[in-house]
Amino acid sequence: MHMVTLTKGVPDFREGKVSFDEDGHLERGKTPTVMNPNDKIALRAALQTKVKHGGHVSLMSMGPPGYKEVLQEGMKDVYADDLFLLSDREMGAADTWATAMTIATGIEQLEQEPDIIFAGFKTADGETGHTGPQTNWCLDINDELTDRPLITHVISIDVDEDKGTVRAKRLVEGDLSEIETIEAELPAFIVTDPEFEATYRRAEHRLRYKDLREATRERAATLELDEDVTVWNQEALNLDPDFIGLDGSPTIVSGVDPIPKEPSEREATVIEPDDEEKMETVFDEMKQYASN
Amino acid sequence: MRDTHEHYEAVVVGNGPGGAAAAAALAKQDIETLVLERGTAAGSKNVSGGLIYGEEWAPYTMDDLFPGFREEAAERPIDDYYIHNIAGESVKTFDLHKIHHQGTEWCDAVLRRTMDSWLADRVHEMTRETGGGMLTDVRVNGLLREGGKIVGVTCDELDPITADVIIAADGVNSELARDAGLMDWEEPDDWFQGVKAVVDMDPERINQRFDIDPTTGSAHLFSGDLFDGVRGGGFLYTNEDSLSVGTVFHLDSIAEERAEPHELLDNLLTHPLLDQWFDGEYEEREYSAKLVPDSKKVAHPSPHRGRLLLVGDAAGQMQAQGPIIKGMNHAVTAGGLAAEAFQEAKTRGQPGAAGALYERKLESEGVMKRLRPRRYRMTRFISESRPINKLGNAVINSRVGAAGLKLFDGLIERSFNSPFVLGMIPDTKMTYVTIPERIGEVLGDPVTSENNVEPPGLDDRIGDLTYNVDDPHIEVRDESFDASGVAVTACPVSATDFGGGCYREETVQTNGETERKVSLDTQPCVECGTCAVVADTHWEHPSGGKGVEFKQG
């Protein structure tokens, strides 16, 4: 089995990491770039497939040279056998469409056509959720490659190597109360839902998982970013400049409106814990929420 | 694939000292071994007083099986061993180093999280080479049977697994021993309950206050009248940069006296004698509790059934005779012997004979005679015979008794150091409370210092523990106060008039009548198993990685 997982670097939106200016604009320079959290979930699905069926997990991204560290993060925190970065100034400022075009070409460039391509639900910054499905469309129109079914909102997968199929459970309306099971032929394109959970019900799988996790942590720690990450530029991918980067992006962003912070509806009153009288009123207030 | 079970030659349940020893011994024989541990890390479910012994007679010891164990996994080597007989503020101390070193090559203080995690890494490495390995976060919940025969284990997190031998080292509340009908929770007098506080202390201060150098440690035992008449005693061991201070009592005595275990621990922590070590400073790192089997009564003479072999606490292999408290070393020996028995049985082409062979080895290697000394069996009747007790009490408390004590001061210290005498000590109030109290009173010197230490309350102790909350794993079958009320006091994280613990007493109005009931919240449970014995419960362990997580142990 050959699996490719797609990823993107995003601002680290976690409390204490992210930085906004006075107008509420993200300060990119002050905010570290990390691997898109949803993509780690996709990568876990790839790792689960490798644990159960063996094979090879590639992690691929498009972005500036600094994204090598994002790929390294994926290798360290989840798993990767090899890392690919599609990087060129010409590719910059791409919308989801131009990105999908570029990535599809990157996948075509791989030595072996992947059995499963995994993508995360959406990125933490763009939040379109387009790039995965659009990449699959770009692969479909490529006559060199096999057409593959696209399964989105996947919460669990089960590969049957003998039958050459994948059975996936997916959320129908993004809702855990409605789950459908789909069986599709390999190769396939799978977009994992944030609810995806890898399951290992056999001890041998958990042991292999432990081995692979240990190995990938060690490899990531000693990774030489300049040598161990395969970087493909525009020339290497032989891309038509009209279809990539800003020129290849039909999306027009007419403007960005910051969402104003909602003013707090609650009023805070400071009460000293020693003030018995006022503390009494606090307890009276709380009483209604107490059980029994 | 779905229909065929995963199979390993050996499955070891639990990565404590017994399980680790068994796994290491199996792996050394190149037997494919899978170790399943319930904690999120090995040791996160384990508590012990804290001394492990390397015994001269033992065919398997920790440092033989795991080179580097003492240097890397243990705390301080314990050379000094004292018992303090306490009557009020009067204390008579005996030096017990003789019995402590008797037949012993070494003795180290340990903290179980560090120790068991260290072991787990080695165990995984060794067993992985056999095609197996060690997994955490897996709770084995029962035995897999085919045609009535035990063939493997079932787990919460994994599909059933078959094995040629199953070594259950799943601790004092062993679910496998119970599933096989080899153990139960019936009688409180089969058990001790221990509670412990790990107390922060700078290594330099430990050296200074205990008058020891950085490479040595000391142990202190406490008995007498400071525990409100409950049968048992206290201990204090020095670790690298902390102290393990705890109390261990007969569970039937805790139940009868309606004693609050955490308060008995506080009695020790606040006794003036301990001021010399605390010097007014007290920072508690962790509060913990555990049941301890009384091997004299429950060490199973035939700890096996079919392919299942019990090791360590699961088999009741915990030796507690007066100041001799040895558990982990017996678990290690038993683990090694269980592995050896399987290897031999397999070589003979009769792997099914492993259990019987294991039983013979426990006898021939001298494990059983230490766990269940014949002398104790002979004197056990004393504990049930009240007139003898009464007579003893009368004598010991008389002026004649006092004169005797004075006359035989040296002899008493010698008796405490005699394994022969200790082997016959009956479990009565006289031996645990009256004699030590009288020794302290008659022979002791008063402690003049004041102990101003204020141990944390139960709410803080619970609050400082880490829990990964799961669905309730204990169900009270009979909520009436008569059936389950003792749990309110005996549970180490519950207390009368304390609402934040596991068990609470409630008064319920039904049909105009008031009824006393108990209610249970398993969230702060420390999984000791006490309530399974003293109350009417359906008791299970939480799933893998769930429940309490001890950081010290």
Side-chain angles (χ1 to χ4, degrees):
Chain A
M1 297 284 289
H2 182 207
M3 285 77 69
V4 176
T5 303
L6 308 178
T7 186
K8 184 181 184 231
V10 296
D12 191 344
F13 284 109
R14 283 173 305 169
E15 189 98 26
K17 301 275 185 186
V18 69
S19 184
F20 295 102
D21 69 12
E22 284 170 5
D23 301 326
H25 294 294
L26 179 75
E27 295 187 292
R28 283 263 181 187
K30 289 185 184 170
T31 305
T33 300
V34 294
M35 181 171 173
N36 180 41
N38 278 330
D39 301 342
K40 282 191 181 169
I41 295 167
L43 193 51
R44 279 187 207 114
L47 173 56
Q48 180 196 285
T49 313
K50 169 155 177 145
V51 165
K52 293 184 180 174
H53 306 282
H56 192 90
V57 176
S58 304
L59 183 60
M60 183 182 279
S61 186
M62 186 197 89
Y67 274 29
K68 284 177 189 171
E69 284 173 30
V70 171
L71 294 169
Q72 183 181 26
E73 183 189 337
M75 178 184 266
K76 176 173 128 286
D77 290 354
V78 187
Y79 186 83
D81 286 300
D82 47 22
L83 308 173
F84 294 88
L85 181 63
L86 318 182
S87 187
D88 199 310
R89 279 184 184 282
E90 291 291 328
M91 299 174 191
D95 66 1
T96 60
W97 182 248
T99 305
M101 273 296 205
T102 312
I103 289 176
T105 314
I107 289 168
E108 188 192 346
Q109 192 87 351
L110 292 167
E111 268 176 41
Q112 193 192 347
E113 201 176 326
D115 297 290
I116 307 178
I117 299 166
F118 291 97
F121 171 45
K122 60 185 183 185
T123 56
D125 53 356
E127 293 221 342
T128 65
H130 295 169
T131 314
Q134 284 176 343
T135 302
N136 195 42
W137 190 86
C138 293
L139 291 167
D140 271 0
I141 58 167
N142 187 329
D143 292 339
E144 303 291 315
L145 299 170
T146 324
D147 284 1
R148 50 180 75 217
L150 169 71
I151 317 172
T152 58
H153 291 286
V154 170
I155 58 165
S156 78
I157 57 164
D158 208 352
V159 171
D160 189 327
E161 274 186 288
D162 297 338
K163 278 166 70 184
T165 55
V166 57
R167 188 186 277 260
K169 285 197 174 127
R170 63 182 299 271
L171 303 183
V172 178
E173 295 286 333
D175 184 354
L176 271 173
S177 63
E178 204 175 335
I179 295 169
E180 76 181 358
T181 305
I182 283 185
E183 194 172 271
E185 275 182 26
L186 294 175
F189 196 109
I190 286 175
V191 179
T192 53
D193 190 88
E195 296 288 340
F196 176 89
E197 246 181 90
T199 49
Y200 301 100
R201 296 283 306 175
R202 286 176 78 86
E204 57 168 334
H205 291 155
R206 288 193 180 210
L207 290 166
R208 202 174 298 148
Y209 174 87
K210 213 169 146 173
D211 290 345
L212 291 175
R213 283 285 301 129
E214 196 179 329
T216 200
R217 262 198 304 268
E218 266 172 37
R219 279 191 62 213
T222 56
L223 198 71
E224 296 285 345
L225 288 180
D226 291 333
E227 290 166 26
D228 297 335
V229 180
T230 305
V231 181
W232 286 334
N233 59 15
Q234 184 208 350
E235 201 187 328
L237 294 173
N238 195 21
L239 284 159
D240 185 334
D242 287 345
F243 287 89
I244 62 166
L246 190 59
D247 292 345
S249 298
T251 310
I252 297 164
V253 181
S254 61
V256 178
D257 295 321
I259 301 170
K261 262 193 184 170
E262 214 175 330
S264 175
E265 285 175 8
R266 288 173 296 182
E267 266 180 55
T269 315
V270 180
I271 292 171
E272 293 298 325
D274 296 332
D275 187 337
E276 274 186 38
E277 208 175 302
K278 289 216 171 121
M279 282 304 282
E280 278 297 325
T281 60
V282 175
F283 290 129
D284 287 342
E285 253 333 283
M286 286 162 72
K287 252 181 208 162
Q288 54 183 315
Y289 303 107
S291 60
N292 298 324
Chain B
M1 285 297 276
R2 279 283 156 94
D3 300 323
T4 53
H5 293 306
E6 201 177 351
H7 180 86
Y8 292 86
E9 263 191 288
V11 167
V12 176
V13 184
N15 197 106
L26 287 164
K28 282 183 182 174
Q29 299 292 339
D30 203 26
I31 291 164
E32 184 196 31
T33 306
L34 174 69
V35 184
L36 300 174
E37 160 62 40
R38 189 167 64 85
T40 192
S44 66
K45 292 291 179 186
N46 303 75
V47 175
S48 63
L51 297 188
I52 183 164
Y53 288 82
E55 298 278 88
E56 279 165 8
W57 60 271
Y60 292 92
T61 57
M62 210 46 125
D63 57 332
D64 287 344
L65 287 165
F66 299 97
F69 171 82
R70 299 192 61 203
E71 296 75 22
E72 293 167 36
E75 301 285 319
R76 292 175 187 245
I78 300 295
D79 292 325
D80 305 336
Y81 204 69
Y82 301 97
I83 189 163
H84 306 278
N85 299 278
I86 299 173
E89 300 196 346
S90 181
V91 178
K92 174 70 183 176
T93 301
F94 290 142
D95 185 343
L96 297 185
H97 80 274
K98 204 173 147 224
I99 184 74
H100 174 63
H101 289 286
Q102 169 115 16
T104 292
E105 263 180 57
W106 53 267
C107 168
D108 290 343
V110 291
L111 289 168
R112 292 295 296 279
R113 179 70 183 255
T114 311
M115 172 181 129
D116 294 17
S117 292
W118 184 91
L119 289 172
D121 288 345
R122 268 89 208 147
V123 164
H124 179 64
E125 213 170 283
M126 293 165 89
T127 51
R128 195 77 191 104
E129 277 180 24
T130 68
M134 193 281 309
L135 290 175
T136 56
D137 298 287
V138 177
R139 171 183 167 237
V140 173
N141 58 24
L143 294 162
L144 179 70
R145 290 180 173 84
E146 263 167 30
K149 288 210 159 69
I150 295 165
V151 293
V153 294
T154 56
C155 316
D156 286 359
E157 294 79 12
L158 300 175
D159 295 333
I161 299 167
T162 57
D164 299 335
V165 67
I166 302 141
I167 296 181
D170 51 343
V172 67
N173 300 310
S174 170
E175 284 170 288
L176 295 188
R178 285 173 174 87
D179 189 340
L182 292 167
M183 270 267 231
D184 59 43
W185 277 299
E186 294 295 306
E187 300 301 328
D189 64 357
D190 289 346
W191 307 91
F192 301 96
Q193 184 209 64
V195 296
K196 183 175 82 163
V198 177
V199 184
D200 235 9
M201 194 174 280
D202 182 73
E204 293 285 316
R205 290 201 178 140
I206 296 178
N207 302 339
Q208 221 169 47
R209 291 177 190 171
F210 287 85
D211 193 22
I212 49 180
D213 67 63
T215 56
T216 58
S218 48
H220 294 262
L221 303 181
F222 309 89
S223 62
D225 68 354
L226 73 169
F227 300 123
D228 306 341
V230 184
R231 295 197 317 278
F235 62 85
L236 183 156
Y237 308 137
T238 54
N239 302 317
E240 295 282 354
D241 60 357
S242 64
L243 308 177
S244 292
V245 191
T247 44
V248 182
F249 299 99
H250 282 275
L251 187 55
D252 55 325
S253 187
I254 287 182
E256 274 163 29
E257 308 280 345
R258 296 278 162 141
E260 300 278 6
H262 67 285
E263 286 176 6
L264 298 180
L265 173 66
D266 291 347
N267 287 1
L268 173 62
L269 292 169
T270 56
H271 192 274
L273 181 64
L274 274 75
D275 180 63
Q276 57 181 313
W277 301 308
F278 290 149
D279 197 18
E281 293 167 26
Y282 186 85
E283 189 63 45
E284 195 169 295
R285 253 190 226 173
E286 187 172 87
Y287 173 76
S288 56
K290 146 180 219 319
L291 275 194
V292 181
D294 184 350
S295 73
K296 301 192 293 295
K297 293 167 185 163
V298 296
H300 205 292
S302 184
H304 59 92
R305 179 148 300 173
R307 297 181 191 179
L308 176 74
L309 279 60
L310 308 181
V311 156
D313 271 4
Q317 294 162 344
M318 162 75 212
Q319 180 188 5
Q321 286 143 22
I324 306 180
I325 310 163
K326 294 178 180 176
M328 291 181 273
N329 61 308
H330 291 303
V332 170
T333 304
L337 293 176
E340 189 184 296
F342 175 69
Q343 161 68 10
E344 282 178 31
K346 182 188 152 192
T347 313
R348 289 183 209 165
Q350 298 173 304
L357 207 50
Y358 169 55
E359 180 180 334
R360 282 210 292 281
K361 283 175 187 290
L362 287 174
E363 279 291 343
S364 64
E365 296 288 350
V367 179
M368 283 315 284
K369 73 173 182 201
R370 286 174 173 83
L371 295 174
R372 301 190 78 141
R374 282 193 56 208
R375 293 186 301 280
Y376 175 78
R377 268 178 266 168
M378 279 153 31
T379 52
R380 187 179 175 179
F381 74 94
I382 294 175
S383 55
E384 282 118 35
S385 167
R386 288 188 181 268
I388 292 180
N389 248 324
K390 256 188 204 159
L391 183 69
N393 277 321
V395 172
I396 211 85
N397 282 319
S398 70
R399 247 183 285 165
V400 179
L405 283 175
K406 276 187 191 145
L407 208 58
F408 295 114
D409 186 353
L411 180 67
I412 298 167
E413 188 165 64
R414 282 218 297 286
S415 308
F416 267 98
N417 277 298
S418 156
F420 181 79
V421 174
L422 292 175
M424 354 192 264
I425 290 182
D427 294 321
T428 60
K429 199 162 174 170
M430 183 169 84
T431 49
Y432 274 107
V433 184
T434 318
I435 294 178
E437 182 187 345
R438 205 57 183 137
I439 291 171
E441 198 171 72
V442 177
L443 303 171
D445 297 317
V447 183
T448 48
S449 48
E450 235 176 85
N451 183 345
N452 298 319
V453 156
E454 281 182 29
L458 213 42
D459 47 350
D460 285 334
R461 282 173 164 159
I462 292 169
D464 287 343
L465 286 167
T466 306
Y467 298 95
N468 183 355
V469 178
D470 196 13
D471 296 334
H473 58 281
I474 308 168
E475 192 189 315
V476 182
R477 277 191 295 228
D478 186 341
E479 293 180 339
S480 73
F481 194 80
D482 286 345
S484 303
V486 182
V488 178
T489 47
C491 165
V493 287
S494 304
T496 311
D497 301 327
F498 172 64
C502 281
Y503 284 88
R504 269 185 302 272
E505 185 189 339
E506 277 173 0
T507 314
V508 188
Q509 302 279 353
T510 36
N511 301 330
E513 280 185 43
T514 3
E515 214 183 324
R516 284 171 92 192
K517 280 192 166 181
V518 294
S519 69
L520 167 68
D521 170 12
T522 57
Q523 204 166 311
C525 175
V526 289
E527 296 162 40
C528 65
T530 298
C531 61
V533 185
V534 301
D536 189 1
T537 63
H538 177 74
W539 201 101
E540 284 184 350
H541 283 121
S543 292
K546 300 288 185 182
V548 70
E549 180 191 338
F550 293 116
K551 301 278 168 78
Q552 306 291 320

